[in-house]
Amino acid sequence: MEFFTLHDFMTYSKGITYLIMGAILVFMPLYWLYLTDRDD
Amino acid sequence: MTKENITAEKQFLTPFNVVAGIILLVGAVITILRFTKGIGAVTNLDNNNPWGLWIGFDLMCGVALAAGGYVTSSACYVFGLKKYHSAVRPAILTAFLGYALVVFALHYDVGRPWRLPYPIFYSQGTSSLLFEVGLCVFLYLTVLFVEWTPAAFEWLGFKKIRAWVVRLTMVLTIFGVVLSTLHQSSLGALFQIAPSKLHPLWYSGYLHVYFFISSMFAGMSMVIFEGTLAHKWLHHKMDETHLAEAEGVVLGFGKAASFVMMGYIGIKLIGLAVDNNWHYLTTGWGLWFLVELVGFVLFPAILYGMGAREKNTTFIRIAAFWTVLGIILNRLNISVIAFNYHLPSADRYVPSFMEVGTTIFIVTIGLVVYKFIATRMPILYEHPDYKEHH
């Protein structure tokens, strides 16, 4: 991926960052359920 | 020679004592060399690499792995998880010895031990992160010492002063968490002033956050790992309460460590994305980074998770050992291996055998003192005179 302006770079890197953050927000509660669903 | 003398001699000449004795003897010789001939005589440090194994392992790993003290005491006293009470004293002792040995090891690197109080009492460099680390370690070591004293007072029979110190437990715990938050993250922040020296895969604007978050699962893993060793070698010193609560501690800490480690992987990915460092992953350094992140964080996190879900303590104990190795690898990567990565191989730092010897010497001191205290004081059991106090 080539960038010509700082704006290009920020748009790309922040876009990916927000996608990862969204994935974490979905994954972490599900992982907590995986860890705890067999607890008494 | 009487039968009793022969038995006593046999008890003293255990394999542990003999090996520890030899290591301490060699360490004493290196110590004399260090403080009489100077740092250049025993280390491979130079102007390119002024920090080596003593900082990378003894200090960085020592502080991270001593995090079990604040993690366990805050779980028990701040969050009210009293089922982990039996793990508090061993964790506090490990943390206290860990921090004491960090300060001890620092003398080897810094030299002139009589100047140790200078940064605190004589010439404060208030704009320096090292001052912040020094102040926090000074204060937290004091806190850990006070937190450990009830065990010593119970052993010595000082009931009044013990009762007075126990009243401070909550204040000391909160103080410990605050100080740990500060200096664990500051150790990471130290490397944020060297963006051109640390490889971009390890350098991040979030380095201080990585250090603090990783110290949490480092501490939990160390509590489990140290508990495993204590069960093997000091099982006879544990009372019924300790033995009954041990499995709960392993399962609870394993579950928490797994969750925190998954979150840590998440923020590491965010760090890669923010700086757009993905392309480095296909290089040799990228492979090494993935060994650390996948092999020593994701793998033990999954193993912890499976162990917690299946109630399999063996999985968790293996994961704890693996995580401890991972933390050591991470701290060494940041402070030694991926630091000055651009230097030609002839100028790269490799520790001398005397530096390695000093590190083994310091770890051995920790083991010997832990054994001395745990076999005499109520660390792994409740003192019969104070059972109703817990």
Side-chain angles (χ1 to χ4, degrees):
Chain A
M1 185 88 188
E2 261 189 304
F3 305 107
F4 297 101
T5 64
L6 179 65
H7 185 265
D8 281 352
F9 177 79
M10 295 297 279
T11 307
Y12 177 79
S13 62
K14 278 210 162 189
I16 300 287
T17 304
Y18 284 134
L19 286 174
I20 294 172
M21 286 164 73
I24 292 169
L25 281 173
V26 174
F27 173 76
M28 291 307 281
L30 291 174
Y31 191 62
W32 182 250
L33 288 177
Y34 167 80
L35 288 175
T36 57
D37 70 349
R38 288 192 188 170
D39 287 0
D40 299 328
Chain B
M1 197 179 254
T2 63
K3 246 183 189 176
E4 287 80 18
N5 283 345
I6 294 166
T7 315
E9 197 172 288
K10 269 186 184 170
Q11 280 175 347
F12 184 72
L13 288 174
T14 59
F16 175 83
N17 286 356
V18 171
V19 174
I22 293 168
I23 293 171
L24 294 181
L25 206 64
V26 173
V29 173
I30 299 173
T31 304
I32 293 167
L33 281 175
R34 159 66 186 96
F35 287 101
T36 54
K37 307 274 182 195
I39 197 166
V42 291
T43 70
N44 284 344
L45 299 172
D46 55 31
N47 287 341
N48 279 326
N49 305 287
W51 285 357
L53 185 70
W54 292 344
I55 296 296
F57 183 85
D58 302 9
L59 194 144
M60 308 295 285
C61 299
V63 168
L65 296 174
Y70 88 84
V71 171
T72 314
S73 56
S74 59
C76 180
Y77 299 121
V78 179
F79 297 108
L81 301 168
K82 298 293 179 192
K83 60 184 176 177
Y84 301 137
H85 186 265
S86 63
V88 172
R89 278 197 178 177
I92 292 288
L93 175 61
T94 311
F96 170 53
L97 293 177
Y99 275 89
L101 291 172
V102 161
V103 176
F104 180 68
L106 198 60
H107 286 309
Y108 285 77
D109 207 78
V110 178
R112 295 200 283 184
W114 56 91
R115 287 208 167 192
L116 182 68
Y118 269 47
I120 312 295
F121 299 108
Y122 184 76
S123 175
Q124 301 84 1
T126 47
S127 60
S128 166
L129 274 165
L130 275 178
F131 169 71
E132 199 271 341
V133 172
L135 183 65
C136 277
V137 170
F138 161 67
L139 291 173
Y140 189 43
L141 183 58
T142 311
V143 166
L144 283 168
F145 173 72
V146 179
E147 282 188 301
W148 165 76
T149 52
F153 291 144
E154 286 175 16
W155 178 55
L156 295 166
F158 296 168
K159 290 190 176 181
K160 276 188 183 170
I161 190 166
R162 182 238 175 232
W164 190 81
V165 175
V166 165
R167 277 192 217 116
L168 298 172
T169 301
M170 182 57 99
V171 176
L172 291 171
T173 303
I174 293 169
F175 205 34
V177 174
V178 172
L179 291 169
S180 295
T181 311
L182 289 167
H183 72 264
Q184 292 284 0
S185 55
S186 296
L187 281 175
L190 274 181
F191 291 90
Q192 284 180 257
I193 60 171
S196 60
K197 291 187 177 180
L198 185 57
H199 191 278
L201 283 172
W202 283 273
Y203 182 85
S204 167
Y206 302 123
L207 205 49
H208 55 292
V209 182
Y210 296 160
F211 265 59
F212 178 58
I213 303 290
S214 59
S215 81
M216 290 182 201
F217 60 79
M220 287 185 260
S221 302
M222 197 60 196
V223 168
I224 297 170
F225 177 60
E226 175 254 312
T228 307
L229 295 183
H231 271 270
K232 189 166 173 60
W233 304 107
L234 297 166
H235 194 270
H236 59 287
K237 288 285 167 190
M238 295 174 177
D239 63 4
E240 282 177 15
T241 314
H242 194 100
L243 292 170
E245 288 181 4
E247 192 175 301
V249 171
V250 171
L251 292 173
F253 276 36
K255 188 192 297 172
S258 179
F259 191 70
V260 177
M261 287 165 92
M262 284 298 183
Y264 175 77
I265 292 168
I267 58 171
K268 287 288 272 189
L269 292 177
I270 288 174
L272 284 176
V274 165
D275 295 330
N276 194 35
N277 281 333
W278 303 104
H279 59 285
Y280 288 113
L281 291 177
T282 52
T283 65
W285 283 107
L287 190 65
W288 186 236
F289 179 80
L290 289 173
V291 166
E292 181 197 310
L293 195 65
V294 177
F296 288 90
V297 186
L298 182 63
F299 168 67
I302 293 170
L303 202 58
Y304 264 139
M306 286 167 62
R309 192 176 153 87
E310 308 290 338
K311 312 282 182 246
N312 185 331
T313 54
T314 309
F315 276 14
I316 296 178
R317 290 183 200 280
I318 294 168
F321 174 65
W322 208 247
T323 308
V324 168
L325 290 182
I327 287 292
I328 293 170
L329 181 64
N330 172 257
R331 296 307 195 254
L332 286 179
N333 273 338
I334 290 168
S335 60
V336 177
I337 299 167
F339 197 75
N340 278 333
Y341 70 102
H342 56 278
L343 284 181
S345 54
D347 292 335
R348 292 304 308 275
Y349 162 80
V350 178
S352 70
F353 79 92
M354 283 198 271
E355 284 176 88
V356 178
T358 308
T359 296
I360 296 170
F361 166 63
I362 288 166
V363 172
T364 307
I365 292 176
L367 289 174
V368 170
V369 177
Y370 183 95
K371 192 184 168 206
F372 178 86
I373 293 174
T375 49
R376 285 162 180 80
M377 298 179 199
I379 301 293
L380 301 168
Y381 63 92
E382 287 179 305
H383 195 289
D385 293 353
Y386 303 92
K387 280 203 169 179
E388 71 282 6
H389 296 253
H390 296 139

